[in-house]
Amino acid sequence: MNANPQLLLSDVNIAIQHHIAQIRLARATELAQAGRLLEAEALLVQNGELPRNARELDLLARVAARQARFDEARRRWNMAMELEPGNEIYRQCIEHL
């Protein structure tokens, strides 16, 4: 059985993008924990585009909440809940704002 090189290349590219996203989230988390909130936010919001990943939106919401930007935090958690409707943590975070 011959594997299609284009499909293999596509699978590799998807895996690489997934790992890059994990590394970006880990680094942004480290920055946020160190109080470097603007840097964490800049890492996740690239070219003015919000991420389409619930965990990244959650971190952005937490960053906004720490800066007393509560309406923005609520919007980010609502976006995260659209991506992961069953996530109780996001709902609880909104309730505690």
Side-chain angles (χ1 to χ4, degrees):
M1 172 160 117
N2 290 335
N4 182 335
Q6 290 295 85
L7 287 177
L8 289 175
L9 187 57
S10 177
D11 289 346
V12 168
N13 189 32
I14 290 169
I16 289 170
Q17 293 304 315
H18 176 74
H19 289 295
I20 289 171
Q22 287 180 321
I23 292 167
R24 181 178 54 243
L25 179 59
R27 179 63 181 142
T29 300
E30 289 174 350
L31 289 167
Q33 289 173 342
R36 296 165 61 183
L37 304 178
L38 294 177
E39 292 174 75
E41 192 170 30
L43 189 58
L44 296 175
V45 180
Q46 297 182 357
N47 300 321
E49 296 276 330
L50 288 174
R52 295 186 183 113
N53 174 299
R55 292 176 62 203
E56 291 180 0
L57 288 165
D58 173 51
L59 181 56
L60 285 172
R62 291 171 190 276
V63 167
R66 283 185 60 188
Q67 296 175 321
R69 298 180 350 233
F70 300 116
D71 289 339
E72 183 178 331
R74 181 175 282 109
R75 285 193 304 272
R76 302 294 178 257
W77 273 314
N78 280 325
M79 292 172 68
M81 284 182 13
E82 287 177 18
L83 296 171
E84 290 183 13
N87 192 312
E88 284 296 309
I89 294 172
Y90 305 153
R91 185 186 57 75
Q92 290 171 6
C93 289
I94 291 171
E95 287 177 4
H96 288 105
L97 283 177

